[in-house]
Amino acid sequence: MTELTQIPPRQTSLWKKTDKALLLIALVLLAVALLDPTNLWPTLRFTALALGAAAPFLLFAILATAYVQASGAETLLSRAFEGREVQMIVVAALVGGISPFCSCQVIPFIAASLAVGVPLSAVMAFWLASPLMDPAMFFVTAGELGMDFALAKTVAAVGIGFLGGFGVKLLGGTALFSDPLKAFTKPSCCATAALRGAPLWAFWRDNARIGTFKSSFLKNLMFLGKWMLVAYALESVMLSYLPADMIASVMGGNGMRPILIGALIGAPAYLNGFAAVPLMSGLISQGMAEGAAMSFMIAGGISCIPAAVAVWALVKPRVFAAYIGFALLGAVLAGTLWSIF
């Protein structure tokens, strides 16, 4: 008989299978239960009430995102990289600032576009604007920080796209942006297949798209639900134990200092775009300057791991450094303008 050697299936580690958001909220509640048991029920109550108050905004955002994905509206992205360079920069920044997909979701398309000669300036405009705002983020931000703040952040997202896009265009002839791509296998012609065609706005006429709508709705419901639970639990703990005087002294008041601190802390400390919104709301109530909150959210949104990895995967370190530089500069400008107006 021939002896057959069976290769055992690859085992997925327990850590990889563990949902990090749920683990984090469990650790937060466990810490409160062990260190301050009397505050456990107030923390749970605060979290539940806050989540209930935000539910209408979350539900609308989830439905809007599911509709966009089911209709295939992402196919419109390809049109942002058509025409003259200036036109591409403007359209890429606008699309990036309002679209429901971020840099990390369209890596194959971006790679293919760069490989066939789409200017880095237009791609940089999209890269900088896209992580900052989408329909779901807009309504969550409006619900927590007000419609004015949400609109200002949307304008900031597009403005930073302009800043990076035209900045790259002006410096395009320098060594900084020459030969920007890492050595990678040229994408196949099917890399952009998912972004071709025309959207079907009446998606309910197609069974496959109905399935996409349901899948997107459930996926985003779970994603937003768990991260908002994390955010409200952390906000409750922060309000209970973080001295308001300390927040006000470090990140409160007028001037550039709190804005610069917000940008410098936001870049490495960003947890999740949706979780950051309630946390900023809590910090503002503790004395944090709104300009600092704006700079924190802008710098952190652009430099968060998913967005940063999308850029790092495709371009050389000097171009990635420029991406981070544009993010910090844009964050400081956005925070300054918000504090003035």
PDB file of all heavy atoms in Angstrom, residues 114-115 118-120 127 168 171-184 314-320:
ATOM      1  N   LEU A 114      -1.524  53.924 -11.669  1.00  0.00           N
ATOM      2  CA  LEU A 114      -0.159  54.438 -11.633  1.00  0.00           C
ATOM      3  C   LEU A 114       0.722  53.753 -12.670  1.00  0.00           C
ATOM      4  O   LEU A 114       1.561  54.387 -13.310  1.00  0.00           O
ATOM      5  CB  LEU A 114       0.434  54.254 -10.231  1.00  0.00           C
ATOM      6  CG  LEU A 114      -0.132  55.155  -9.130  1.00  0.00           C
ATOM      7  CD1 LEU A 114       0.364  54.707  -7.767  1.00  0.00           C
ATOM      8  CD2 LEU A 114       0.248  56.619  -9.375  1.00  0.00           C
ATOM      9  N   ALA A 115       0.509  52.455 -12.852  1.00  0.00           N
ATOM     10  CA  ALA A 115       1.325  51.691 -13.787  1.00  0.00           C
ATOM     11  C   ALA A 115       1.117  52.131 -15.226  1.00  0.00           C
ATOM     12  O   ALA A 115       2.037  52.062 -16.044  1.00  0.00           O
ATOM     13  CB  ALA A 115       1.025  50.202 -13.653  1.00  0.00           C
ATOM     14  N   VAL A 118      -1.191  57.290 -14.923  1.00  0.00           N
ATOM     15  CA  VAL A 118      -1.986  58.311 -14.246  1.00  0.00           C
ATOM     16  C   VAL A 118      -1.053  59.120 -13.333  1.00  0.00           C
ATOM     17  O   VAL A 118      -0.260  58.547 -12.594  1.00  0.00           O
ATOM     18  CB  VAL A 118      -3.119  57.671 -13.427  1.00  0.00           C
ATOM     19  CG1 VAL A 118      -3.783  58.695 -12.522  1.00  0.00           C
ATOM     20  CG2 VAL A 118      -4.156  57.051 -14.354  1.00  0.00           C
ATOM     21  N   PRO A 119      -1.125  60.449 -13.389  1.00  0.00           N
ATOM     22  CA  PRO A 119      -0.198  61.267 -12.586  1.00  0.00           C
ATOM     23  C   PRO A 119      -0.304  60.976 -11.092  1.00  0.00           C
ATOM     24  O   PRO A 119      -1.402  60.803 -10.553  1.00  0.00           O
ATOM     25  CB  PRO A 119      -0.638  62.701 -12.898  1.00  0.00           C
ATOM     26  CG  PRO A 119      -1.372  62.618 -14.189  1.00  0.00           C
ATOM     27  CD  PRO A 119      -2.022  61.269 -14.206  1.00  0.00           C
ATOM     28  N   LEU A 120       0.841  60.955 -10.436  1.00  0.00           N
ATOM     29  CA  LEU A 120       0.866  60.755  -8.986  1.00  0.00           C
ATOM     30  C   LEU A 120       0.106  61.862  -8.276  1.00  0.00           C
ATOM     31  O   LEU A 120      -0.474  61.638  -7.208  1.00  0.00           O
ATOM     32  CB  LEU A 120       2.320  60.708  -8.502  1.00  0.00           C
ATOM     33  CG  LEU A 120       2.535  60.576  -6.996  1.00  0.00           C
ATOM     34  CD1 LEU A 120       1.992  59.246  -6.487  1.00  0.00           C
ATOM     35  CD2 LEU A 120       4.013  60.720  -6.641  1.00  0.00           C
ATOM     36  N   TRP A 127      -5.760  59.854  -2.362  1.00  0.00           N
ATOM     37  CA  TRP A 127      -5.239  59.192  -1.169  1.00  0.00           C
ATOM     38  C   TRP A 127      -5.447  60.029   0.088  1.00  0.00           C
ATOM     39  O   TRP A 127      -5.773  59.504   1.143  1.00  0.00           O
ATOM     40  CB  TRP A 127      -3.749  58.928  -1.342  1.00  0.00           C
ATOM     41  CG  TRP A 127      -3.418  57.575  -1.885  1.00  0.00           C
ATOM     42  CD1 TRP A 127      -4.200  56.464  -1.841  1.00  0.00           C
ATOM     43  CD2 TRP A 127      -2.209  57.201  -2.537  1.00  0.00           C
ATOM     44  NE1 TRP A 127      -3.546  55.410  -2.435  1.00  0.00           N
ATOM     45  CE2 TRP A 127      -2.322  55.837  -2.867  1.00  0.00           C
ATOM     46  CE3 TRP A 127      -1.039  57.873  -2.880  1.00  0.00           C
ATOM     47  CZ2 TRP A 127      -1.314  55.128  -3.513  1.00  0.00           C
ATOM     48  CZ3 TRP A 127      -0.037  57.179  -3.532  1.00  0.00           C
ATOM     49  CH2 TRP A 127      -0.176  55.821  -3.843  1.00  0.00           C
ATOM     50  N   VAL A 168       2.162  68.024  -5.234  1.00  0.00           N
ATOM     51  CA  VAL A 168       2.916  67.047  -6.023  1.00  0.00           C
ATOM     52  C   VAL A 168       3.117  67.550  -7.446  1.00  0.00           C
ATOM     53  O   VAL A 168       4.189  67.370  -8.038  1.00  0.00           O
ATOM     54  CB  VAL A 168       2.198  65.684  -6.017  1.00  0.00           C
ATOM     55  CG1 VAL A 168       2.863  64.708  -6.995  1.00  0.00           C
ATOM     56  CG2 VAL A 168       2.197  65.089  -4.616  1.00  0.00           C
ATOM     57  N   LEU A 171       5.905  70.070  -7.501  1.00  0.00           N
ATOM     58  CA  LEU A 171       7.219  69.477  -7.221  1.00  0.00           C
ATOM     59  C   LEU A 171       7.484  68.233  -8.068  1.00  0.00           C
ATOM     60  O   LEU A 171       8.410  67.478  -7.789  1.00  0.00           O
ATOM     61  CB  LEU A 171       7.306  69.101  -5.734  1.00  0.00           C
ATOM     62  CG  LEU A 171       7.182  70.266  -4.739  1.00  0.00           C
ATOM     63  CD1 LEU A 171       7.108  69.741  -3.317  1.00  0.00           C
ATOM     64  CD2 LEU A 171       8.350  71.232  -4.893  1.00  0.00           C
ATOM     65  N   GLY A 172       6.665  68.042  -9.087  1.00  0.00           N
ATOM     66  CA  GLY A 172       6.759  66.815  -9.886  1.00  0.00           C
ATOM     67  C   GLY A 172       8.093  66.620 -10.580  1.00  0.00           C
ATOM     68  O   GLY A 172       8.500  65.490 -10.841  1.00  0.00           O
ATOM     69  N   GLY A 173       8.795  67.710 -10.877  1.00  0.00           N
ATOM     70  CA  GLY A 173      10.070  67.578 -11.570  1.00  0.00           C
ATOM     71  C   GLY A 173      11.257  67.381 -10.658  1.00  0.00           C
ATOM     72  O   GLY A 173      12.387  67.257 -11.122  1.00  0.00           O
ATOM     73  N   THR A 174      11.023  67.317  -9.343  1.00  0.00           N
ATOM     74  CA  THR A 174      12.123  67.164  -8.398  1.00  0.00           C
ATOM     75  C   THR A 174      12.398  65.688  -8.112  1.00  0.00           C
ATOM     76  O   THR A 174      11.610  64.807  -8.460  1.00  0.00           O
ATOM     77  CB  THR A 174      11.799  67.877  -7.073  1.00  0.00           C
ATOM     78  OG1 THR A 174      10.677  67.220  -6.457  1.00  0.00           O
ATOM     79  CG2 THR A 174      11.436  69.336  -7.326  1.00  0.00           C
ATOM     80  N   ALA A 175      13.524  65.449  -7.434  1.00  0.00           N
ATOM     81  CA  ALA A 175      13.901  64.062  -7.113  1.00  0.00           C
ATOM     82  C   ALA A 175      12.924  63.421  -6.139  1.00  0.00           C
ATOM     83  O   ALA A 175      12.811  62.194  -6.083  1.00  0.00           O
ATOM     84  CB  ALA A 175      15.312  64.038  -6.520  1.00  0.00           C
ATOM     85  N   LEU A 176      12.201  64.239  -5.372  1.00  0.00           N
ATOM     86  CA  LEU A 176      11.288  63.697  -4.372  1.00  0.00           C
ATOM     87  C   LEU A 176      10.219  62.811  -5.002  1.00  0.00           C
ATOM     88  O   LEU A 176       9.886  61.744  -4.462  1.00  0.00           O
ATOM     89  CB  LEU A 176      10.621  64.850  -3.608  1.00  0.00           C
ATOM     90  CG  LEU A 176       9.586  64.477  -2.545  1.00  0.00           C
ATOM     91  CD1 LEU A 176      10.219  63.624  -1.451  1.00  0.00           C
ATOM     92  CD2 LEU A 176       8.955  65.730  -1.944  1.00  0.00           C
ATOM     93  N   PHE A 177       9.680  63.234  -6.127  1.00  0.00           N
ATOM     94  CA  PHE A 177       8.568  62.496  -6.727  1.00  0.00           C
ATOM     95  C   PHE A 177       8.923  61.827  -8.053  1.00  0.00           C
ATOM     96  O   PHE A 177       8.044  61.327  -8.749  1.00  0.00           O
ATOM     97  CB  PHE A 177       7.374  63.436  -6.941  1.00  0.00           C
ATOM     98  CG  PHE A 177       6.803  63.962  -5.663  1.00  0.00           C
ATOM     99  CD1 PHE A 177       6.880  65.310  -5.355  1.00  0.00           C
ATOM    100  CD2 PHE A 177       6.201  63.108  -4.749  1.00  0.00           C
ATOM    101  CE1 PHE A 177       6.355  65.798  -4.169  1.00  0.00           C
ATOM    102  CE2 PHE A 177       5.685  63.589  -3.555  1.00  0.00           C
ATOM    103  CZ  PHE A 177       5.763  64.941  -3.267  1.00  0.00           C
ATOM    104  N   SER A 178      10.208  61.800  -8.407  1.00  0.00           N
ATOM    105  CA  SER A 178      10.605  61.079  -9.611  1.00  0.00           C
ATOM    106  C   SER A 178      10.626  59.577  -9.330  1.00  0.00           C
ATOM    107  O   SER A 178      11.030  59.145  -8.256  1.00  0.00           O
ATOM    108  CB  SER A 178      11.992  61.542 -10.060  1.00  0.00           C
ATOM    109  OG  SER A 178      12.967  61.233  -9.077  1.00  0.00           O
ATOM    110  N   ASP A 179      10.160  58.803 -10.267  1.00  0.00           N
ATOM    111  CA  ASP A 179      10.116  57.344 -10.132  1.00  0.00           C
ATOM    112  C   ASP A 179       9.533  56.946  -8.772  1.00  0.00           C
ATOM    113  O   ASP A 179      10.203  56.332  -7.945  1.00  0.00           O
ATOM    114  CB  ASP A 179      11.523  56.772 -10.300  1.00  0.00           C
ATOM    115  CG  ASP A 179      11.530  55.248 -10.377  1.00  0.00           C
ATOM    116  OD1 ASP A 179      10.493  54.666 -10.773  1.00  0.00           O
ATOM    117  OD2 ASP A 179      12.554  54.643 -10.020  1.00  0.00           O
ATOM    118  N   PRO A 180       8.263  57.256  -8.517  1.00  0.00           N
ATOM    119  CA  PRO A 180       7.713  57.091  -7.163  1.00  0.00           C
ATOM    120  C   PRO A 180       7.347  55.667  -6.778  1.00  0.00           C
ATOM    121  O   PRO A 180       7.241  55.363  -5.589  1.00  0.00           O
ATOM    122  CB  PRO A 180       6.452  57.955  -7.203  1.00  0.00           C
ATOM    123  CG  PRO A 180       6.016  57.898  -8.629  1.00  0.00           C
ATOM    124  CD  PRO A 180       7.283  57.855  -9.433  1.00  0.00           C
ATOM    125  N   LEU A 181       7.131  54.783  -7.744  1.00  0.00           N
ATOM    126  CA  LEU A 181       6.590  53.470  -7.434  1.00  0.00           C
ATOM    127  C   LEU A 181       7.650  52.497  -6.959  1.00  0.00           C
ATOM    128  O   LEU A 181       8.791  52.502  -7.446  1.00  0.00           O
ATOM    129  CB  LEU A 181       5.894  52.879  -8.658  1.00  0.00           C
ATOM    130  CG  LEU A 181       4.651  53.602  -9.181  1.00  0.00           C
ATOM    131  CD1 LEU A 181       4.092  52.865 -10.377  1.00  0.00           C
ATOM    132  CD2 LEU A 181       3.614  53.720  -8.087  1.00  0.00           C
ATOM    133  N   LYS A 182       7.264  51.639  -6.026  1.00  0.00           N
ATOM    134  CA  LYS A 182       8.113  50.515  -5.656  1.00  0.00           C
ATOM    135  C   LYS A 182       8.108  49.506  -6.791  1.00  0.00           C
ATOM    136  O   LYS A 182       7.209  49.489  -7.636  1.00  0.00           O
ATOM    137  CB  LYS A 182       7.595  49.849  -4.382  1.00  0.00           C
ATOM    138  CG  LYS A 182       7.804  50.648  -3.112  1.00  0.00           C
ATOM    139  CD  LYS A 182       7.276  49.892  -1.911  1.00  0.00           C
ATOM    140  CE  LYS A 182       7.548  50.656  -0.616  1.00  0.00           C
ATOM    141  NZ  LYS A 182       6.999  49.954   0.573  1.00  0.00           N
ATOM    142  N   ALA A 183       9.108  48.643  -6.790  1.00  0.00           N
ATOM    143  CA  ALA A 183       9.144  47.580  -7.785  1.00  0.00           C
ATOM    144  C   ALA A 183       8.082  46.551  -7.430  1.00  0.00           C
ATOM    145  O   ALA A 183       8.133  45.921  -6.384  1.00  0.00           O
ATOM    146  CB  ALA A 183      10.522  46.932  -7.817  1.00  0.00           C
ATOM    147  N   PHE A 184       7.090  46.407  -8.276  1.00  0.00           N
ATOM    148  CA  PHE A 184       6.053  45.420  -8.031  1.00  0.00           C
ATOM    149  C   PHE A 184       5.577  44.885  -9.368  1.00  0.00           C
ATOM    150  O   PHE A 184       5.789  45.468 -10.420  1.00  0.00           O
ATOM    151  CB  PHE A 184       4.878  46.007  -7.249  1.00  0.00           C
ATOM    152  CG  PHE A 184       4.126  47.079  -7.983  1.00  0.00           C
ATOM    153  CD1 PHE A 184       3.010  46.774  -8.742  1.00  0.00           C
ATOM    154  CD2 PHE A 184       4.553  48.396  -7.907  1.00  0.00           C
ATOM    155  CE1 PHE A 184       2.331  47.770  -9.413  1.00  0.00           C
ATOM    156  CE2 PHE A 184       3.870  49.388  -8.581  1.00  0.00           C
ATOM    157  CZ  PHE A 184       2.751  49.072  -9.331  1.00  0.00           C
ATOM    158  N   LEU A 314       2.602  50.812  -2.211  1.00  0.00           N
ATOM    159  CA  LEU A 314       2.792  51.112  -3.623  1.00  0.00           C
ATOM    160  C   LEU A 314       3.941  52.064  -3.917  1.00  0.00           C
ATOM    161  O   LEU A 314       4.536  51.991  -5.000  1.00  0.00           O
ATOM    162  CB  LEU A 314       1.499  51.695  -4.212  1.00  0.00           C
ATOM    163  CG  LEU A 314       0.269  50.787  -4.194  1.00  0.00           C
ATOM    164  CD1 LEU A 314      -0.918  51.507  -4.812  1.00  0.00           C
ATOM    165  CD2 LEU A 314       0.539  49.484  -4.938  1.00  0.00           C
ATOM    166  N   VAL A 315       4.267  52.975  -3.001  1.00  0.00           N
ATOM    167  CA  VAL A 315       5.248  54.005  -3.330  1.00  0.00           C
ATOM    168  C   VAL A 315       6.485  53.891  -2.451  1.00  0.00           C
ATOM    169  O   VAL A 315       6.477  53.227  -1.412  1.00  0.00           O
ATOM    170  CB  VAL A 315       4.637  55.419  -3.176  1.00  0.00           C
ATOM    171  CG1 VAL A 315       3.479  55.610  -4.137  1.00  0.00           C
ATOM    172  CG2 VAL A 315       4.176  55.669  -1.737  1.00  0.00           C
ATOM    173  N   LYS A 316       7.533  54.560  -2.889  1.00  0.00           N
ATOM    174  CA  LYS A 316       8.799  54.537  -2.168  1.00  0.00           C
ATOM    175  C   LYS A 316       8.701  55.374  -0.886  1.00  0.00           C
ATOM    176  O   LYS A 316       7.840  56.244  -0.770  1.00  0.00           O
ATOM    177  CB  LYS A 316       9.906  55.060  -3.086  1.00  0.00           C
ATOM    178  CG  LYS A 316      10.156  54.126  -4.273  1.00  0.00           C
ATOM    179  CD  LYS A 316      11.233  54.635  -5.190  1.00  0.00           C
ATOM    180  CE  LYS A 316      11.474  53.635  -6.333  1.00  0.00           C
ATOM    181  NZ  LYS A 316      12.489  54.119  -7.296  1.00  0.00           N
ATOM    182  N   PRO A 317       9.596  55.092   0.074  1.00  0.00           N
ATOM    183  CA  PRO A 317       9.505  55.771   1.379  1.00  0.00           C
ATOM    184  C   PRO A 317       9.474  57.284   1.300  1.00  0.00           C
ATOM    185  O   PRO A 317       8.780  57.935   2.078  1.00  0.00           O
ATOM    186  CB  PRO A 317      10.754  55.274   2.116  1.00  0.00           C
ATOM    187  CG  PRO A 317      11.005  53.917   1.528  1.00  0.00           C
ATOM    188  CD  PRO A 317      10.624  54.039   0.087  1.00  0.00           C
ATOM    189  N   ARG A 318      10.205  57.891   0.366  1.00  0.00           N
ATOM    190  CA  ARG A 318      10.215  59.359   0.289  1.00  0.00           C
ATOM    191  C   ARG A 318       8.844  59.909  -0.114  1.00  0.00           C
ATOM    192  O   ARG A 318       8.433  60.974   0.351  1.00  0.00           O
ATOM    193  CB  ARG A 318      11.299  59.836  -0.685  1.00  0.00           C
ATOM    194  CG  ARG A 318      11.291  59.156  -2.038  1.00  0.00           C
ATOM    195  CD  ARG A 318      12.509  59.582  -2.864  1.00  0.00           C
ATOM    196  NE  ARG A 318      12.756  58.692  -3.977  1.00  0.00           N
ATOM    197  CZ  ARG A 318      12.136  58.750  -5.139  1.00  0.00           C
ATOM    198  NH1 ARG A 318      11.205  59.666  -5.344  1.00  0.00           N
ATOM    199  NH2 ARG A 318      12.441  57.904  -6.115  1.00  0.00           N
ATOM    200  N   VAL A 319       8.129  59.178  -0.956  1.00  0.00           N
ATOM    201  CA  VAL A 319       6.786  59.614  -1.346  1.00  0.00           C
ATOM    202  C   VAL A 319       5.821  59.402  -0.180  1.00  0.00           C
ATOM    203  O   VAL A 319       4.933  60.225   0.069  1.00  0.00           O
ATOM    204  CB  VAL A 319       6.307  58.861  -2.597  1.00  0.00           C
ATOM    205  CG1 VAL A 319       4.903  59.300  -3.002  1.00  0.00           C
ATOM    206  CG2 VAL A 319       7.282  59.070  -3.750  1.00  0.00           C
ATOM    207  N   PHE A 320       6.012  58.302   0.549  1.00  0.00           N
ATOM    208  CA  PHE A 320       5.188  58.054   1.732  1.00  0.00           C
ATOM    209  C   PHE A 320       5.421  59.146   2.769  1.00  0.00           C
ATOM    210  O   PHE A 320       4.469  59.616   3.418  1.00  0.00           O
ATOM    211  CB  PHE A 320       5.521  56.689   2.319  1.00  0.00           C
ATOM    212  CG  PHE A 320       4.734  56.359   3.567  1.00  0.00           C
ATOM    213  CD1 PHE A 320       3.428  55.939   3.477  1.00  0.00           C
ATOM    214  CD2 PHE A 320       5.310  56.481   4.824  1.00  0.00           C
ATOM    215  CE1 PHE A 320       2.690  55.641   4.629  1.00  0.00           C
ATOM    216  CE2 PHE A 320       4.600  56.188   5.970  1.00  0.00           C
ATOM    217  CZ  PHE A 320       3.274  55.762   5.869  1.00  0.00           C
TER     218      PHE A 320
END
